[in-house]
Amino acid sequence: MRDPSLNVVIALGEYQGGVAVAYYADPIRRDWLLGEIESHAPSADQPALRTSSVDEAIAYPDRLVFVVPRDEAATVEELDALRDRLLMPPRRLPVVLFLLRDGPGERALARCPGLASIVRGRDPDWDLLARADVDLERARFERETGLSPQAWLRKWKNGEFPETPELIVRSYRATALEGE
Amino acid sequence: MLDLLTRLQPHRPLDGDEDAYVERAEEGGNAIAAWVRAGRSSLLVLGPAGIGKSTELARAARDLQPDRFTCLIPLDRFENVRLVTPERALLRIAALLVQVAGQGLPGFSPSRDLSTAIHGPEPGVYSFPPPPVWDADTALRVACREVAGASKQGRVCLLVDGLEKAPESTFWNVADALGHIAPEVDLIVVIPWYVAYGQRTGEVLRPDEKLFAIHPVVVTGELGVPGRRFLQRLLGRHFAAAGGIAGLLETILDKPSPDPGVVELRGVFNRAIDMSGGIPRTYLQLIVDATMRAKFRSHDQPRTDDLDDAVADQRDSFRRLLSAGDEVALRDADGTDGRDLEWQQKIRLLNHGMLIESQEAGKPVLHIHPIIRDLLE
């Protein structure tokens, strides 16, 4: 089974600082996603920059940038045209483009093969995080760790576990499950 | 090794120099250079996203250097190619040519007239004779003459990358302008697929132009041996570029070993080659994504299940790009030359690499990308 938390971490491209896409079903879900994705983001000294401007995204290669377009199709086309400037020199933190599922941005991406190839594999179904069967996931978590997500998180925050990549991802899962 | 494999940069073209470049069996930068040396002064290069067009252009530039002053122009790094006007594109090319010449030709400096045409007059400086008013076409023409005159090769070759991202109207306007560049300047331009398969007939740049397609490397069957070897070596070079020991991965992949870990790693790399469809960017991306999964799962190296999940993510992305009617069209086109496909659909499917074009017995044949095939099944 693919772990949605892990998919999110991979999509954020912790080591590549590339571009990811977050599809959302409606504006309420988008606002939830903005916070959720920021909580999964690679460690950053500043909060995510939220903008609708591609130029601004390019101007801040060291920050996590959330691009929430006003005109989705135009923004996708602009990102496609400027993608090399976005990726070279390599970004330290990624750009996450927010697009309405089945909306004009998704249709525009189908006309922009270059950008589509860059985000391929980095546009997971973020809503899986919200739609996961919480009871099932909690039970799975307890089976794997012997602790409830809350109890596990308490120990994590107290520094009782080492910060290994596996446990960092587990902390994301615990946070998501605890919040439900 | 895990850390290094996650730091690969699949989207970054390799330099054309000996340490970084991996030669293709065919359709590489050296073949582009050979056509130019053979007298074709215009080459139109095309291929699907992630195939390595920029890398091959960089190699062609390097190969042609002994005979020509070559200037690589990644137009999309300086201009928004969706909006660029022909005037602006030509002025940008002129400016880059002069800049590269200033760095590469000892003592070169453009004339005052040329500098003014490119950068505008120096404010507050009176000069006589006054700088001429040139259009961009003239400025580029003079730039090519000045650089050719100052170079030991005596001839300029411009390699223009990035125009394949331009919408049709913008592309044709810029192409018309590029077509006015003097014939003694060699021109290699990356073009969009719709130029090759589109409905506009006639020349794109100049009468002697040649279309040069870079296809996915063949990775199946006996014919696929060189292609698989190419992708393995490419992975090794990217690994070295990320800070790994040069040659280490090639050694692991080449040497027979009874070590189960090595056998599994080789299996993962080989399956990634199978699923890449011969597209370098897809291959490297699958390796990176599988390795990231391995790292977070505390595996000591990427395993088959890590790769399977990476493939599943790519499959989900492809699914979003499919439009109504694509599934039927893909099945119908598989194994044919694609002549029955509606041309816009064909261009879109080729562009995304969902359909892969290869040459079989000298004729083009289309195949479904392995990840898409997986999806359709």
Side-chain angles (χ1 to χ4, degrees):
Chain A
M1 178 185 164
R2 282 188 281 164
D3 177 352
S5 294
L6 183 49
N7 276 19
V8 171
V9 172
I10 299 222
L12 283 172
E14 185 163 2
Y15 297 96
Q16 288 188 302
V19 188
V21 173
Y23 288 107
Y24 61 89
D26 54 58
I28 295 170
R29 179 64 70 198
R30 180 195 61 208
D31 295 344
W32 173 84
L33 264 178
L34 283 163
E36 192 64 14
I37 292 172
E38 190 160 11
S39 76
H40 280 81
S43 50
D45 14 341
Q46 298 179 76
L49 172 69
R50 300 177 184 205
T51 178
S52 56
S53 155
V54 172
D55 283 337
E56 207 171 357
I58 292 171
Y60 292 94
D62 291 334
R63 285 185 73 175
L64 173 65
V65 180
F66 291 161
V67 178
V68 184
R70 295 180 63 208
D71 179 337
E72 286 196 355
T75 301
V76 166
E77 286 168 358
E78 194 179 356
L79 266 173
D80 183 53
L82 302 178
R83 63 179 190 266
D84 281 359
R85 269 197 265 172
L86 197 65
L87 297 171
M88 283 185 280
R91 296 184 64 83
R92 193 169 73 81
L93 290 170
V95 169
V96 184
L97 174 64
F98 285 77
L99 297 177
L100 180 68
R101 183 175 303 137
D102 305 321
E106 190 173 353
R107 288 194 292 278
L109 198 57
R111 298 192 298 271
C112 298
L115 182 62
S117 80
I118 285 170
V119 303
R120 191 171 301 147
R122 279 169 164 61
D123 56 348
D125 193 337
W126 303 74
D127 273 358
L128 271 179
L129 273 177
R131 281 195 265 116
D133 183 328
V134 178
D135 292 338
L136 202 76
E137 285 293 314
R138 270 212 191 99
R140 195 158 75 100
F141 190 93
E142 290 187 20
R143 208 169 46 245
E144 284 172 10
T145 65
L147 293 169
S148 70
Q150 290 87 342
W152 191 91
L153 261 182
R154 255 196 314 275
K155 283 177 175 278
W156 170 257
K157 284 172 184 165
N158 287 338
E160 293 179 39
F161 302 130
E163 287 200 14
T164 65
E166 186 187 19
L167 295 187
I168 290 170
V169 171
R170 183 166 291 164
S171 74
Y172 299 152
R173 267 180 75 203
T175 307
L177 291 169
E178 187 200 42
E180 289 292 332
Chain B
M1 183 194 286
L2 278 184
D3 273 344
L4 290 170
L5 285 175
T6 58
R7 279 192 224 132
L8 303 181
Q9 294 183 357
H11 314 299
R12 188 171 186 180
L14 287 173
D15 295 333
D17 63 38
E18 290 303 337
D19 290 340
Y21 181 75
V22 183
E23 195 172 322
R24 284 168 184 260
E26 47 193 18
E27 299 175 342
N30 48 0
I32 294 174
W35 276 106
V36 173
R37 271 198 296 267
R40 297 277 191 156
S41 72
S42 322
L43 239 74
L44 311 173
V45 179
L46 79 164
I51 200 70
K53 297 183 288 290
S54 300
T55 297
E56 298 306 338
L57 225 59
R59 179 60 176 197
R62 187 183 177 281
D63 272 12
L64 285 166
Q65 250 166 8
D67 313 309
R68 286 145 174 89
F69 184 85
T70 58
C71 181
L72 198 54
I73 296 150
L75 202 55
D76 51 332
R77 286 206 212 148
F78 298 93
E79 300 289 341
N80 182 339
V81 288
R82 300 194 76 85
L83 306 172
V84 70
T85 60
E87 280 273 309
R88 199 166 163 84
L90 294 188
L91 266 186
R92 177 62 71 182
I93 293 170
L96 283 171
L97 175 62
V98 165
Q99 187 187 331
V100 171
Q103 293 159 353
L105 296 176
F108 174 80
S109 122
S111 65
R112 184 180 56 101
D113 287 0
L114 177 58
S115 192
T116 305
I118 293 172
H119 304 295
E122 219 176 313
V125 175
Y126 172 79
S127 61
F128 191 86
V133 177
W134 285 340
D135 56 15
D137 193 30
T138 309
L140 179 55
R141 193 177 296 265
V142 173
C144 289
R145 280 184 200 157
E146 288 190 10
V147 173
S151 68
K152 66 178 189 312
Q153 300 95 330
R155 190 174 175 103
V156 167
C157 176
L158 302 173
L159 301 100
V160 183
D161 196 4
L163 268 179
E164 74 280 10
K165 297 167 194 161
E168 243 184 296
S169 57
T170 307
F171 173 80
W172 286 114
N173 286 337
V174 175
D176 285 344
L178 290 176
H180 291 118
I181 294 176
E184 62 268 22
V185 176
D186 298 309
L187 208 46
I188 303 174
V189 181
V190 178
I191 59 162
W193 280 93
Y194 52 72
V195 173
Y197 291 107
Q199 292 169 322
R200 179 170 153 165
T201 52
E203 69 194 38
V204 178
L205 299 177
R206 296 167 173 169
D208 75 333
E209 66 199 12
K210 173 176 169 54
L211 208 61
F212 187 96
I214 304 178
H215 294 104
V217 292
V218 177
V219 293
T220 51
E222 289 230 343
L223 287 175
V225 173
R228 301 182 80 89
R229 175 94 188 118
F230 164 75
L231 289 176
Q232 283 181 352
R233 292 184 62 206
L234 191 71
L235 174 65
R237 297 297 164 93
H238 274 268
F239 181 73
I245 300 168
L248 176 69
L249 273 189
E250 289 96 321
T251 307
I252 292 174
L253 294 170
D254 280 348
K255 268 195 183 163
S257 166
D259 181 337
V262 173
V263 171
E264 180 170 30
L265 187 63
R266 194 177 294 151
V268 168
F269 287 160
N270 275 324
R271 182 161 150 69
I273 288 178
D274 290 336
M275 298 313 289
S276 73
I279 298 176
R281 182 182 295 167
T282 307
Y283 173 56
L284 295 170
Q285 193 68 62
L286 285 172
I287 297 289
V288 173
D289 290 353
T291 309
M292 287 183 89
R293 278 179 172 74
K295 191 174 160 69
F296 283 102
R297 288 167 173 163
S298 298
H299 296 168
D300 53 355
Q301 61 180 35
R303 296 185 190 168
T304 309
D305 56 330
D306 299 320
L307 179 63
D308 286 346
D309 284 354
V311 170
D313 276 350
Q314 293 236 351
R315 196 166 53 225
D316 289 346
S317 302
F318 270 129
R319 185 182 284 122
R320 291 196 183 92
L321 298 173
L322 290 174
S323 302
D326 280 352
E327 287 194 28
V328 174
L330 283 163
R331 288 183 210 277
D332 289 349
D334 193 23
T336 74
D337 64 3
R339 72 179 61 183
D340 295 332
L341 272 175
E342 190 268 322
W343 77 273
Q344 276 183 325
Q345 189 177 33
K346 179 176 178 180
I347 289 163
R348 187 166 49 79
L349 296 174
L350 282 167
N351 247 333
H352 283 293
M354 297 193 219
L355 271 179
I356 291 171
E357 188 182 81
S358 59
Q359 294 287 316
E360 292 177 15
K363 290 180 180 166
V365 180
L366 302 178
H367 293 289
I368 300 174
H369 189 284
I371 296 179
I372 295 282
R373 194 180 291 282
D374 224 21
L375 178 66
L376 297 183
E377 283 166 3

